[in-house]
Amino acid sequence: MAETSKADGGRLTTHVLDTATGKPAAGLSIALYRLDGAARRLLKTVATNADGRCDAPLLAGGDFRTGEYELVFAAGDYLRGSGAKLPEPAFLDSVPIRFGMAEAVHYHVPLLISPYGYSTYRGS
């Protein structure tokens, strides 16, 4: 798979909203992985701020590369910490989202989460 970078064009961002409470999901841990065939390499782990966003892009500038990635959201830990009563095991615990970035542009991958469902989309 070919990969490219662009010093100022590509970036990856995310944010998380708790649809059960109607509030941003503050303090939710997110792991970012790069996929290369069967290989999966952890690039970083971050946590959302009070607005449910990361303080900086997950990838930008020289760190941005096209290719396949995975974001793993620690939804169960966040929901338990927010006081949600979850069964054991929780219906949703880790929420993985695999996606591809084909060009050096802005990719925004938000997560809308509740104890029993989630959705995502390519945002702007």
Side-chain angles (χ1 to χ4, degrees), residues 2-75:
E3 67 177 46
T4 61
S5 69
K6 186 175 177 183
D8 57 3
R11 64 187 168 119
L12 171 63
T13 58
T14 188
H15 76 273
V16 186
L17 299 175
D18 182 334
T19 58
T21 64
K23 297 179 181 177
L28 191 144
S29 180
I30 305 166
L32 171 64
Y33 294 87
R34 178 165 171 83
L35 307 174
D36 188 15
R40 181 177 178 244
R41 183 170 53 99
L42 178 64
L43 299 180
K44 65 174 59 175
T45 301
V46 297
T48 56
N49 61 25
D51 195 32
R53 299 178 182 275
C54 301
D55 290 330
L58 296 169
L59 295 173
D63 292 333
F64 182 91
R65 299 279 183 269
T66 57
E68 294 181 79
Y69 291 86
E70 181 178 55
L71 288 169
V72 179
F73 297 85

Side-chain angles (χ1 to χ4, degrees), residues 72-80 86 88-96 113 115:
V72 179
F73 297 85
D77 290 345
Y78 161 78
L79 292 165
R80 284 182 206 91
L86 303 180
E88 198 54 49
F91 180 70
L92 295 175
D93 200 4
S94 293
V95 175
I113 189 74

